[in-house]
């Protein structure tokens, strides 16, 4: 069926095969994963879609397999599908994509991770990534999305880091550091808690 999906033309024919593969996945989704291939992105994305549509969470750990695929399009689709799942496991898997070699995949990961306000460990891991040497050299879009992820988490770890980043700077401050501080200010606004507002008020005096 997987071979047919890749060979058939026309959405109607592919839809028939898709439904068959989906029925098989409901019995056991594990055999579908090895059918995905880098050189068959359409089939691979269809398999990811099927895993994302299953009513239970059996597919969440299986989607981690696609982190190692060379095809950027497949990795990106896996991130977006994982983002539709709630729960710590999906968030922890997407977290690995923040180390992806492609900036677009990293940005998609930052936008799709859901961190619970109770999950200080997960937020601390993102703080560690944002604290790495070279983070300020990344594009403004990537810095903004990673720091906004911290803002959405509303964790103490995120608040402490964003406040420290906002307080950085000095006479010989680099423009890239200033950009990161501005991103931190926007992330504190996203956080929106009373303590985040206090940090922003303190920042107006700098």
């Amino acid at each position: 069926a997987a071979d047919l999906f890749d060979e058939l033309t026309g959405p109607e024919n592919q839809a028939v095969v898709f439904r068959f593969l989906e029925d098989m996945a409901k019995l056991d989704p594990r055999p579908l994963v090895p059918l995905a291939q880098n050189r068959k992105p359409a089939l691979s994305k269809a398999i990811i879609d099927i895993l994302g549509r299953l009513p239970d969470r059996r597919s969440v750990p299986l989607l981690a397999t696609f982190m190692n695929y060379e095809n950027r399009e497949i990795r990106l689709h896996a991130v977006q599908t994982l983002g539709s799942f709630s729960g710590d496991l999906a968030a922890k898997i997407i977290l690995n994509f923040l180390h992806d070699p492609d900036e677009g995949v990293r940005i998609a990961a930052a936008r799709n991770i859901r961190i619970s306000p109770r999950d200080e460990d997960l937020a601390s891991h993102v703080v560690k990534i944002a604290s790495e040497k070279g983070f300020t050299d990344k594009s403004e879009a990537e810095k903004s999305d990673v720091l906004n992820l911290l803002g959405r988490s509303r964790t103490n770890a995120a608040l402490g880091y964003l406040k420290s980043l906002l307080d950085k700077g000095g006479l010989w401050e680099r423009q890239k550091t200033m950009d990161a501080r501005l991103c931190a200010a926007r992330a504190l606004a996203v956080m929106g808690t009373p303590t985040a507002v206090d940090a922003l008020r303190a920042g107006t005096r700098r």
Side-chain angles (χ1 to χ4, degrees), residues 16-28 50:
V16 173
V17 181
F18 183 94
R19 287 195 295 272
F20 173 77
L21 291 172
E22 188 173 29
D23 288 340
M24 295 299 100
K26 290 175 183 177
L27 300 175
D28 185 359
I50 289 171

Side-chain angles (χ1 to χ4, degrees), residues 11 17 32 47 61 74 77 79 81 89 93-95 102 108 110 119 121 123 135 144 162 171 188:
V17 181
L32 260 71
I47 289 172
I74 294 173
H77 201 64
V79 167
T81 301
L89 180 57
I93 293 173
I94 304 175
L95 189 67
D102 184 88
D119 200 337
D121 288 341
F135 180 75
S144 180
L162 293 172
L171 185 61
L188 285 166

Side-chain angles (χ1 to χ4, degrees), residues 2-185:
D3 289 339
L4 276 174
F5 183 91
D6 203 54
E7 293 173 7
L8 289 171
T9 57
E12 292 182 359
N13 293 328
Q14 287 188 334
V16 173
V17 181
F18 183 94
R19 287 195 295 272
F20 173 77
L21 291 172
E22 188 173 29
D23 288 340
M24 295 299 100
K26 290 175 183 177
L27 300 175
D28 185 359
R30 291 172 295 179
L32 260 71
V33 178
L35 301 176
Q37 300 177 36
N38 278 299
R39 59 187 180 85
K40 295 182 177 181
L43 170 63
S44 300
K45 289 166 68 176
I47 289 172
I48 291 171
D49 285 338
I50 289 171
L51 294 175
R53 288 166 56 145
L54 290 178
D56 54 39
R57 298 182 181 276
R58 288 178 296 167
S59 57
V60 174
L62 297 177
L63 287 166
T65 307
F66 298 96
M67 181 176 63
N68 300 317
Y69 274 58
E70 295 178 2
N71 189 303
R72 172 191 182 275
E73 190 178 345
I74 294 173
R75 299 198 311 275
L76 186 61
H77 201 64
V79 167
Q80 293 165 339
T81 301
L82 279 163
S84 66
F85 290 94
S86 59
D88 293 344
L89 180 57
K92 288 175 181 176
I93 293 173
I94 304 175
L95 189 67
N96 292 302
F97 286 91
L98 287 177
H99 300 285
D100 195 273
D102 184 88
E103 181 187 88
V105 175
R106 295 194 302 270
I107 288 175
R111 292 177 179 176
N112 281 278
I113 297 175
R114 303 182 191 182
I115 300 179
S116 165
R118 300 180 301 277
D119 200 337
E120 294 287 347
D121 288 341
L122 197 58
S124 295
H125 197 102
V126 178
V127 167
K128 185 178 179 181
I129 292 173
S131 303
E132 290 175 350
K133 185 179 179 181
F135 180 75
T136 56
D137 295 325
K138 295 182 181 294
S139 70
E140 184 175 352
E142 184 170 357
K143 286 185 288 194
S144 180
D145 280 308
V146 171
L147 296 182
N148 280 349
L149 164 60
L150 290 174
R152 293 196 308 272
S153 75
R154 296 186 171 186
T155 57
N156 292 326
L159 176 64
Y161 176 72
L162 293 172
K163 286 173 63 177
S164 69
L165 187 56
L166 187 62
D167 290 339
K168 276 187 177 181
L171 185 61
W172 307 110
E173 181 177 22
R174 294 190 309 158
Q175 181 61 46
K176 289 180 179 179
T177 304
M178 172 61 83
D179 291 341
R181 291 176 64 202
L182 292 171
C183 290

